[in-house]
Amino acid sequence: MTSADYPEPMPRGWPKDRYRATHRAMKVLRIADHLLRRGLAYSSAEATDRVIRTAAAECGQNEPSSTTCALVRAVLDLLLLPPSPPTARSDQHHATSTVVAITIRHLTA
């Protein structure tokens, strides 16, 4: 990985779980990006754990857990939403943005 992957260090004083969740989210986005750029998966159905783990190895990430693989599929579902139907004002160009929030909750038994 290059210094561009980690432009600046994480802020000090966060709880350890927040660091872990942030690093997992960054890993998920890097793997999803690699899958889409290389054409390895065009949908979450094509992104099996094996495909995701192979992509992670190709882009220099450690082997992802099953939870991380599930999050990669969730991100692919969000990124690959079908286009919305055209509106009456389709002649105008409108920019839309999608905000992706990933929440990781640990369940204790």
Side-chain angles (χ1 to χ4, degrees):
M1 286 193 274
T2 65
S3 61
D5 293 328
Y6 296 103
E8 56 186 66
M10 295 284 189
R12 293 175 183 235
W14 282 0
K16 192 173 254 187
D17 287 342
R18 186 169 178 188
Y19 286 113
R20 287 183 184 140
T22 302
H23 284 289
R24 184 186 299 247
M26 291 175 8
K27 181 177 185 175
V28 164
L29 293 174
R30 281 193 292 268
I31 295 170
D33 177 63
H34 184 79
L35 285 169
L36 293 172
R37 285 178 187 255
R38 301 293 186 266
L40 299 173
Y42 297 104
S43 69
S44 61
E46 294 174 342
T48 62
D49 284 0
R50 183 177 178 182
V51 169
I52 292 170
R53 288 185 173 121
T54 302
E58 288 175 1
C59 67
Q61 301 296 310
N62 291 331
E63 183 174 328
S65 65
S66 297
T67 303
T68 302
C69 291
L71 288 171
V72 169
R73 283 189 287 277
V75 166
L76 289 175
D77 280 339
L78 287 172
L79 293 175
L80 303 174
L81 291 173
S84 59
T87 61
R89 297 175 56 161
S90 63
D91 58 332
Q92 296 179 353
H93 298 288
H94 295 281
T96 60
S97 64
T98 302
V99 176
V100 178
I102 299 175
T103 303
I104 300 172
R105 295 186 181 162
H106 298 281
L107 302 176
T108 56

